[in-house]
Amino acid sequence: MMEAKNFIEEIINQELAEGKVTTVHTRFPPEPNGYLHIGHAKSLCINFGTAQKYGGVCNLFFDDTNPSKEKTEYVEAIKKDIEWLGFSWYEIHYASDFFDQIYAFAVKLIKEGKAFVCDLTAEQIKDMRGTLTEPGKESPYRNRSVEENLQLFENMKNGVYQDGEKVLRAKIDMASPNINMRDPVIYRVLHAEHHRTGNKWCIYTMYDFAHPICYSMQGVTHSLCTLEFEDHRPLYNWVVENVGVEHKPRQIEFARLNVTNTVMSKRYLKKLVEEGMVSGWDDPRMPTLTGLRARGIPAEALKKFCEEIGVAKANSEIEVSYFEHFTREYLNEHAPRAMAVFEPIKVIVDNYEGGEYVEIDVNPNDPEPKKRKTYFSKEIYIDAEDFSLAPPPKYFRMKVGGMVRLKGAYVVRCDSVEQNDDGSVKAVHCTYLPETRSGSDTSGIKVKGTIHWVSAEKCVPAVIRKYEYLLKDAEYPGQDFSERMNENSLHEFNGFAENYLFDAAEGESFQLLRKGYYKKFVENGKLVLSEIVSLKDSFKPQ
Ligand code: ATP
Ligand code: MG
């Protein structure tokens, strides 16, 4: 028996012990109407992870019952995202592959007097549905004969009616305390072209009817879904019992993932793309899986996050800094170090001539750290924020009269500064201390600050991109996303970087010393360094 690490596994353990199931077969059921986001990653990890743990399998099941919003583009993107996370599905199925069988089950329900064709409009059905405290009213069409229902349903299928003119409803109980059980609609007329079945159908099954049937057909034992489906479970079970399938799947619900400062709805993410607020679904600020991948988030970090947040039955909001924590942890271990300056100021080492290669650690966290060479020269660039004309007390970076170590190279003493007419820094003049060379320092001189730099002689211009969250903090609970957009989430700098970064593999991630984790790529022949996550961890465990 596996040790259960959440309530779903407790249920499964019990079922296994009682012999109710002998294997675990799950599915991940996206609707191909947009790209997957970080919330879907949680569902993926739970569905694939649970199956894996029990030596079972997980299907990829496309819920394509809503033809007007679905596209093949999304199907392909979803597959790619799942592969990126490292999950392998057992079989791929589409709800549309089962349309014939689902139709046959609907006919069976009609024959058994368990479903009827209803002529009420959507509006009327809603008005007659009742409330949480009052029962609903029965449809005047509820007692049509089986023969009439069969004929009308066939007419629906044959395109005799307009959209919305007729629906098929399950005949359950208009007085049920669960509103989903009050004669729910299970088929509607919809003259729309489907991305897979074309114009074959002009009636489409509703989600609640399709899912349990499709899962039964696939041999799914557990459909693990989010809490909003809890109220639909009685209907799910009703379908399983009443259509007469042999294999009976079970639905178990868990809490949705919500993350602070993060848009978590396909509908709204789509709006951001359509309105041009972002460059596309794969904009590095997007919480889509394709966006996270473009950003440089390691799949392993995302999976670790999903594992650590656990599986609960109550909805909650997770701090975005908790997610960033795992990205940082992973990259700290895996990303090579490099140097770049974001807002360059020139430093001239007056007593140094020529140039030489010095060494910096590739990654000091490696079990056996390696060194690599970088070029040092008379003229270098440092970051504007590492120099102060009016240093506050305890300022250990570069200031006139102070000493600082240039990472991997020498200790320099800052002698003077040349300024432009507007007071800005034109160049800083320093003297280096030859006996302080890193790795062979015999000087005994101790300095409190070490700063990064790049050689002005051997460096490349770099476009540096930093990001803020797309979504500002809510001012009050439930504030609409549209009022929380951060219009200023992209910042660009023109800096300089080591040649090493230009030569590195496309898409590789680095820790830019003292700056953060950045992904490298080349755009129109120019080096771009795109922020993955900042260096500092602001996450505080509770
Ligand atoms: P959205 O509301 O963003 O459009 P959805 O629920 O409509 O999402 P589906 O394609 O139907 O998207 O989702 C596929 C699966 O992913 C469902 O089982 C759903 O429960 C799950 N899922 C969606 N969002 C989240 C989330 N934020 N946390 C956990 N699971 C989620
Ligand atoms: Mg959905």
Side-chain angles (χ1 to χ4, degrees):
M1 173 103 359
M2 296 284 172
E3 194 202 327
K5 62 178 197 319
N6 59 50
F7 76 96
I8 294 176
E9 295 181 1
E10 277 165 22
I11 293 174
I12 292 174
N13 279 350
Q14 195 175 348
E15 289 175 339
L16 286 166
E18 291 168 1
K20 282 190 184 153
V21 296
T22 51
T23 176
V24 174
H25 189 160
T26 56
R27 91 295 166 247
F28 175 69
E31 188 182 346
N33 63 351
Y35 284 65
L36 299 182
H37 53 62
I38 180 172
H40 294 109
K42 175 175 176 177
S43 177
L44 280 162
C45 288
I46 293 175
N47 278 293
F48 279 93
T50 307
Q52 245 162 35
K53 173 163 176 167
Y54 288 93
V57 292
C58 179
N59 284 358
L60 174 54
F61 174 67
F62 285 105
D63 168 21
D64 57 353
T65 52
N66 231 337
S68 43
K69 294 191 201 137
E70 294 157 4
K71 285 202 263 174
T72 308
E73 173 201 344
Y74 298 136
V75 169
E76 294 310 317
I78 289 169
K79 286 189 203 165
K80 197 170 157 194
D81 286 343
I82 298 174
E83 284 169 348
W84 173 62
L85 278 180
F87 293 123
S88 317
W89 50 82
Y90 176 60
E91 292 168 341
I92 292 195
H93 291 283
Y94 296 79
S96 52
D97 292 343
F98 300 98
F99 281 173
D100 285 315
Q101 278 138 302
I102 299 170
Y103 180 81
F105 280 119
V107 170
K108 182 163 179 249
L109 284 185
I110 295 174
K111 285 184 178 157
E112 291 171 6
K114 292 174 182 168
F116 65 99
V117 172
C118 183
D119 301 3
L120 295 176
T121 63
E123 189 82 359
Q124 288 168 324
I125 290 177
K126 201 167 147 228
D127 289 345
M128 291 171 71
R129 200 172 50 186
T131 64
L132 287 174
T133 49
E134 280 169 57
K137 287 196 207 66
E138 289 187 354
S139 161
Y141 304 99
R142 200 174 199 264
N143 296 314
R144 278 178 162 154
S145 68
V146 168
E147 290 66 34
E148 190 184 2
N149 279 320
L150 284 173
Q151 185 58 55
L152 293 173
F153 189 49
E154 197 174 333
N155 291 350
M156 278 172 69
K157 178 177 147 216
N158 291 338
V160 174
Y161 311 117
Q162 299 298 307
D163 290 2
E165 209 180 316
K166 282 188 170 45
V167 291
L168 183 72
R169 299 175 69 177
K171 196 188 278 190
I172 309 180
D173 178 7
M174 286 308 289
S176 168
N178 184 320
I179 293 178
N180 293 312
M181 299 296 274
R182 296 182 188 168
D183 294 3
V185 173
I186 57 176
Y187 261 95
R188 68 210 149 120
V189 177
L190 184 64
H191 294 267
E193 184 168 316
H194 188 282
H195 73 110
R196 298 187 80 241
T197 56
N199 292 309
K200 177 172 176 196
W201 296 90
C202 64
I203 55 173
Y204 289 94
T205 166
M206 303 302 284
Y207 175 96
D208 284 327
F209 189 56
H211 276 237
I213 292 175
C214 292
Y215 297 155
S216 174
M217 301 285 118
Q218 292 170 58
V220 166
T221 53
H222 300 87
S223 58
L224 311 175
C225 65
T226 37
L227 277 180
E228 69 270 25
F229 295 106
E230 195 172 14
D231 287 347
H232 295 243
R233 189 176 355 117
L235 178 53
Y236 179 106
N237 290 338
W238 184 92
V239 173
V240 166
E241 291 306 325
N242 286 277
V243 297
V245 285
E246 216 161 279
H247 174 80
K248 297 179 178 174
R250 172 174 183 176
Q251 174 177 299
I252 307 174
E253 310 85 14
F254 59 87
R256 265 182 113 74
L257 172 64
N258 295 302
V259 180
T260 57
N261 304 99
T262 306
V263 180
M264 201 72 89
S265 135
K266 264 190 269 178
R267 194 172 50 83
Y268 201 79
L269 289 168
K270 193 179 211 162
K271 206 170 134 190
L272 294 179
V273 174
E274 281 165 1
E275 290 178 3
M277 305 280 283
V278 292
S279 63
W281 288 97
D282 62 350
D283 186 293
R285 292 165 293 176
M286 290 282 272
T288 49
L289 299 189
T290 172
L292 297 175
R293 187 162 67 239
R295 178 85 174 235
I297 303 292
E300 293 82 352
L302 179 54
K303 286 206 280 191
K304 184 90 195 292
F305 167 70
C306 290
E307 198 176 299
E308 294 299 319
I309 55 177
V311 182
K313 263 191 271 197
N315 282 317
S316 67
E317 198 174 42
I318 308 283
E319 292 288 331
V320 65
S321 61
Y322 191 50
F323 173 54
E324 292 169 355
H325 165 83
F326 292 103
T327 299
R328 194 177 287 115
E329 194 173 71
Y330 182 90
L331 292 173
N332 185 30
E333 214 173 293
H334 294 90
R337 275 48 176 170
M339 298 196 284
V341 296
F342 289 15
E343 275 185 85
I345 57 174
K346 184 165 274 184
V347 173
I348 302 164
V349 187
D350 292 314
N351 65 334
Y352 187 89
E353 294 307 327
E356 69 186 296
Y357 282 95
V358 295
E359 288 187 324
I360 65 169
D361 285 324
V362 174
N363 185 342
N365 293 329
D366 283 342
E368 288 169 47
K370 288 194 208 54
K371 302 263 183 201
R372 73 167 170 86
K373 293 190 175 357
T374 191
Y375 194 71
F376 179 73
S377 58
K378 183 180 181 76
E379 296 198 357
I380 60 171
Y381 293 110
I382 65 166
D383 245 308
E385 62 178 22
D386 284 333
F387 176 79
S388 178
L389 280 166
K394 300 207 174 160
Y395 185 83
F396 299 123
R397 288 167 276 166
M398 196 178 276
K399 62 185 172 191
V400 175
M403 289 202 287
V404 70
R405 175 170 292 281
L406 298 173
K407 179 74 186 175
Y410 298 95
V411 171
V412 293
R413 189 185 61 236
C414 177
D415 302 319
S416 63
V417 52
E418 280 178 69
Q419 284 169 274
N420 297 308
D421 291 343
D422 65 357
S424 60
V425 175
K426 188 171 173 199
V428 177
H429 290 268
C430 290
T431 303
Y432 89 111
L433 310 176
E435 67 281 15
T436 59
R437 195 180 200 272
S438 289
S440 56
D441 187 339
T442 55
S443 69
I445 294 170
K446 294 231 158 21
V447 294
K448 289 219 167 99
T450 298
I451 62 173
H452 63 278
W453 51 277
V454 299
S455 159
E457 215 174 291
K458 288 189 198 283
C459 71
V460 282
V463 175
I464 290 136
R465 297 199 184 124
K466 287 190 70 163
Y467 309 105
E468 291 177 32
Y469 304 126
L470 278 176
L471 205 61
K472 293 190 269 195
D473 286 329
E475 283 157 38
Y476 53 88
Q479 187 184 21
D480 191 72
F481 281 164
S482 58
E483 291 173 29
R484 293 173 56 195
M485 283 309 299
N486 180 357
E487 307 279 344
N488 197 25
S489 53
L490 169 64
H491 302 277
E492 267 194 10
F493 304 83
N494 290 303
F496 291 109
E498 287 185 81
N499 289 350
Y500 166 73
L501 284 165
F502 190 82
D503 298 337
E506 188 72 356
E508 196 172 346
S509 304
F510 294 91
Q511 184 194 97
L512 298 182
L513 289 177
R514 304 178 60 242
K515 287 299 192 182
Y517 295 95
Y518 283 74
K519 176 170 162 173
K520 169 259 156 122
F521 52 92
V522 174
E523 208 176 81
N524 305 320
K526 242 187 146 182
L527 174 65
V528 176
L529 297 169
S530 169
E531 184 182 36
I532 305 170
V533 68
S534 64
L535 209 54
K536 288 232 170 57
D537 205 333
S538 63
F539 175 73
K540 291 177 200 68
Q542 273 125 21

